[in-house]
Amino acid sequence: MAPPLLSFLFFTLLLFFSAHSELCNPQDKKVLLQIKKELNNPYVLTSWKPDTDCCDWYVVQCDRVSHRIISLTLFADSLSFQIPAAVGDLPHLETLDFHKLPNLTGPIHPAIAKLKNLKFLRIDWTNLSGPVPDFLSELKNLTYLNLAFNNLSGSIPPSLALLPNLGALFLDRNKLTGSIPHSFGMFSSVPDLYLYLSHNQLSGTIPSSFANMDFSVIDLSRNKLVGDASVVFGANKTTQIVDLSRNLFQFDLSKVVFPKSLTSLDLNHNKITGSIPVEMTALNLQFLNVSYNRLCGQIPVGGKLQSFDNSSYFHNRCLCGAPLASCKS
């Protein structure tokens, strides 16, 4: 049995090292406690206690080497708040995620512009209002930006195209107005950008600069866009999914050159004329909808074109052939 003195020293040292084994950076911990205070000490942040290691706290993550806070995620909660200004005081943050928070209100806080290491920014399914701020273009490390399903209004800042590493941009399901910036055809980021601008009130034409862009996915549906949309296509592109439905586009479909990579095409509810080009039989289409347009002529036979039912083709001016009624001889 150990002498009493040795036992005392052992437990003293154990308490000493336990008290000094916290990994979390003290300044980061101070900021997180300030965020908790600004959020009125919600139940979801119960684990955020001053006497515990903040690297073990719920909804945050520390870097394994530096032990700085690199991720803050709040999701699916009835928490009522505006974005805390203290969020901008976590300089090593790489992920900021506010997802499905219906009682998150107010604008996108300018403090976010201080997060120069941010790679992933998602603030979606909330009640945020105000504009898409121009200062987001200062976050040069962003690879993913999702501001969908909010109440954002105003025009889209052209400066977002200056983000050099952006791979996905979601601005859909808002109340955005104005035209699509010409600069969106000059993204310097990865070539297979995902662009979602659907369910807004955008107007005008698709910028001619889109001829230079090779989007992997482009969704411009449910806006008020007009003119020739064929600029999004091209023989040398690798685009897979295109949704231009429920706009006011007007162009000749028979003159469009489709990329061989195309797997999904939705053009329904526009003013598109011409006929379906026979080249579409060579596409490996998994989805097609050209209904409610002004197309004429026989649907080419072959490929996947007959695998879709009549709802993919109906309500056109004089389109005929399977799966629609036979063409008159």
Side-chain angles (χ1 to χ4, degrees), residues 21 31 33 42 59-60 109 122 149 153 174 176 188 200 208 222 261 306 323:
S21 62
V31 171
L33 290 173
V59 305
V60 295
H109 202 287
R122 179 170 67 171
F149 289 86
S153 58
N174 280 289
L176 301 176
S188 59
N200 280 291
S208 59
R222 292 181 183 267
S261 54
Q306 276 66 50

Side-chain angles (χ1 to χ4, degrees), residues 103-312:
N103 296 320
L104 170 56
T105 60
I108 299 174
H109 202 287
I112 290 177
K114 297 160 63 177
L115 302 174
K116 303 303 183 185
N117 289 303
L118 207 61
K119 298 177 181 178
F120 182 103
L121 176 58
R122 179 170 67 171
I123 311 175
D124 67 343
W125 293 83
T126 78
N127 269 302
L128 278 184
S129 57
V132 177
D134 186 71
F135 62 69
L136 293 176
S137 64
E138 300 172 21
L139 305 176
K140 302 301 184 184
N141 287 306
L142 274 184
T143 61
Y144 181 96
L145 175 57
N146 188 340
L147 302 176
F149 289 86
N150 291 301
N151 287 313
L152 300 175
S153 58
S155 59
I156 300 173
S159 60
L160 293 182
L162 299 175
L163 293 168
N165 300 298
L166 196 64
L169 175 59
F170 296 80
L171 298 177
D172 48 304
R173 308 260 180 178
N174 280 289
K175 299 176 180 177
L176 301 176
T177 56
S179 58
I180 299 172
H182 184 79
S183 62
F184 273 31
M186 296 177 283
F187 274 95
S188 59
S189 55
V190 293
D192 55 345
L193 180 69
Y194 288 62
L195 179 64
Y196 290 84
L197 302 179
S198 70
H199 293 77
N200 280 291
Q201 300 168 29
L202 300 175
S203 57
T205 60
I206 295 179
S208 59
S209 57
F210 272 37
N212 305 318
M213 281 300 299
D214 189 6
F215 296 104
S216 181
V217 176
I218 179 169
D219 186 353
L220 307 179
S221 63
R222 292 181 183 267
N223 280 290
K224 301 175 181 178
L225 299 167
V226 300
D228 188 354
S230 61
V231 68
V232 305
F233 304 104
N236 296 321
K237 296 188 178 184
T238 58
T239 306
Q240 299 175 39
I241 299 174
V242 175
D243 191 345
L244 305 176
S245 62
R246 293 183 181 272
N247 279 285
L248 300 168
F249 291 123
Q250 190 169 4
F251 58 95
D252 188 339
L253 188 65
S254 63
K255 297 180 180 179
V256 174
V257 178
F258 293 101
K260 295 179 180 179
S261 54
L262 197 65
T263 60
S264 178
L265 177 64
D266 196 343
L267 302 175
N268 81 80
H269 286 82
N270 280 288
K271 300 179 179 180
I272 300 169
T273 60
S275 58
I276 297 176
V278 68
E279 288 79 9
M280 287 186 69
T281 60
L283 301 178
N284 185 28
L285 290 171
Q286 306 301 311
F287 179 86
L288 175 67
N289 192 341
V290 296
S291 65
Y292 290 91
N293 278 290
R294 300 175 180 179
L295 298 173
C296 275
Q298 182 172 354
I299 299 171
V301 176
K304 295 292 187 71
L305 296 186
Q306 276 66 50
S307 67
F308 305 106
D309 61 31
N310 63 353
S311 65
S312 293

Side-chain angles (χ1 to χ4, degrees), residues 8-27:
F8 174 78
L9 290 174
F10 173 77
F11 286 111
T12 301
L13 289 171
L14 183 64
L15 290 172
F16 175 83
F17 285 115
S18 296
H20 291 82
S21 62
E22 182 169 336
L23 298 176
C24 180
N25 178 272
Q27 180 59 30

